[in-house]
Amino acid sequence: MLAGAALLTAVFGTVYFQGKERGGRKFLAFKALATLMPAILAGFYGAEYGGASVWLTLAGILCYMAADVLLEIWLLTGVAVFGAGHICILASLLYENISWKVMAVCFSIFYSGMFLALKKYLRKLKGLLFPGMLYAVLLCAVAAGAVAGGICCRGISGILLGLGGVCFLASDTILGWNYLSGQQKRGLGAVLLILYYMAVYFFAARLYF
């Protein structure tokens, strides 16, 4: 099941990436389908084993799936739903044996790094600066919590959790740079999409280890 979900995520994500350049919103379905595969993984695991952490993870991934589509239609709504997804994932991490000190250190590093990477473009946000900074706080909190949880969990589950957080942070930083700089580079677009799907897949797959 893990291999099948990974393969389908890659296939649907590739179809979306190749198709979006031809225009039209019909390819958004493939973008959502790619995220649906990790959601199915989490759902199957939850149906068999249950647990609040699992259901919160599923809720977060479903929010990401909805935001995938909304982001292309109503940008701010999409960002808000992504934020809701981050809150769900962050809540799921509260059930892990997390070192808050490690999380705080990771958060400081991640937020500072993201700020420095996007600093020169922040003025373009204008009235959206506060919502943008709030979203960055949620994103970095998820990434920091995932890394801290990964360090404490160890094993394959911990590695996947930590990698998921780092991949999500890297993906959204590239997305922010692409959007704010106005330089929509195809190569970077492919990288951010790969990192994003890896992040969501890792969040779901780690439940099985």
Side-chain angles (χ1 to χ4, degrees), residues 1-196:
M1 181 178 288
L2 290 174
L7 177 61
L8 289 174
T9 297
V11 169
F12 289 137
T14 300
V15 172
Y16 162 70
F17 181 73
Q18 296 294 338
K20 72 171 185 174
E21 297 183 341
R22 284 177 270 171
R25 291 176 175 173
K26 59 184 179 181
F27 288 99
L28 287 177
F30 291 99
K31 187 181 185 183
L33 282 171
T35 312
L36 178 61
M37 297 304 104
I40 290 175
L41 276 183
F44 270 111
Y45 187 89
E48 185 168 356
Y49 298 103
S53 177
V54 178
W55 295 122
L56 285 167
T57 298
L58 175 60
I61 295 174
L62 289 175
C63 284
Y64 293 152
M65 184 181 72
D68 282 341
V69 176
L70 292 172
L71 200 65
E72 306 274 354
I73 303 173
W74 301 293
L75 178 64
L76 293 182
T77 302
V79 172
V81 177
F82 259 119
H86 290 330
I87 291 173
C88 290
I89 296 296
L90 192 58
S92 75
L93 294 175
L94 295 179
Y95 289 88
E96 304 291 340
N97 183 26
I98 293 178
S99 168
W100 295 103
K101 290 182 179 179
V102 173
M103 182 175 175
V105 170
C106 289
F107 177 84
S108 299
I109 294 172
F110 293 158
Y111 196 82
S112 298
M114 193 175 190
F115 177 79
L116 291 174
L118 302 176
K119 180 181 178 181
K120 63 185 292 187
Y121 304 110
L122 292 180
R123 64 181 181 277
K124 294 185 178 182
L125 288 174
K126 298 179 180 178
L128 298 177
L129 181 60
F130 177 74
M133 299 296 279
L134 179 59
Y135 177 83
V137 168
L138 288 175
L139 171 65
C140 292
V142 168
V147 171
I151 291 173
C152 293
C153 291
R154 301 180 182 179
I156 296 177
S157 178
I159 292 172
L160 291 176
L161 179 58
L163 284 175
V166 172
C167 286
F168 218 130
L169 177 66
S171 175
D172 271 14
T173 301
I174 294 173
L175 178 63
W177 187 88
N178 266 358
Y179 177 76
L180 294 174
S181 69
Q183 302 180 45
Q184 301 293 328
K185 296 184 178 181
R186 189 173 189 272
L188 282 179
V191 171
L192 76 86
L193 206 60
I194 291 170
L195 288 171
Y196 166 66

